[in-house]
Amino acid sequence: MPMLYAIISEDNSDSLNRRLEARPAHLSRLQALQDEGRLVLAGPHPAVDSDDPGSAGFSGSLVVAEFADLNAAQAWADADPYVAADVYAQVTVKPFKKVLP
């Protein structure tokens, strides 16, 4: 039975330009999850306390989505264009149980 998984990613330092280059492909994969009704939320962590961090960039990302199992979630995370572009220093995938809302 499918369940939710959190994909918690930490950026490498000075990853902003690589992030921006890979962003269209990254967003396309997220849009596919949304179109399938599997995406709960997704977004970056600004490196500073601002919606628009400018040149400070981002410190990582969070995706919460439905997958068949942990292996499927990990495989999806491993294939992220941000991984290929060396944006992420570390990616953690773990089960997530939504309680609220």
Side-chain angles (χ1 to χ4, degrees):
M1 177 176 185
M3 66 177 287
L4 296 178
Y5 294 87
I7 302 170
I8 306 153
S9 307
E10 298 292 328
D11 278 26
N12 282 306
S13 60
D14 298 322
S15 64
L16 183 57
N17 287 337
R18 293 186 306 278
R19 179 183 268 273
L20 292 174
E21 286 178 17
R23 188 169 189 259
H26 173 78
L27 290 178
S28 176
R29 295 178 81 236
L30 291 168
Q31 185 64 53
L33 284 179
Q34 183 173 338
D35 291 349
E36 295 167 6
R38 297 169 45 204
L39 184 64
V40 175
L41 64 89
H45 301 285
V48 294
D49 192 11
S50 173
D51 277 346
D52 182 2
S55 63
F58 300 91
S59 64
S61 302
L62 172 64
V63 174
V64 177
E66 184 181 85
F67 293 92
D69 55 34
L70 182 59
N71 288 335
Q74 185 68 60
W76 188 91
D78 291 345
D80 193 305
Y82 282 176
V83 172
D86 198 33
V87 171
Y88 293 148
Q90 178 178 337
V91 178
T92 303
V93 180
K94 53 187 173 179
F96 180 81
K97 181 176 176 171
K98 183 178 176 183
V99 175
L100 293 171

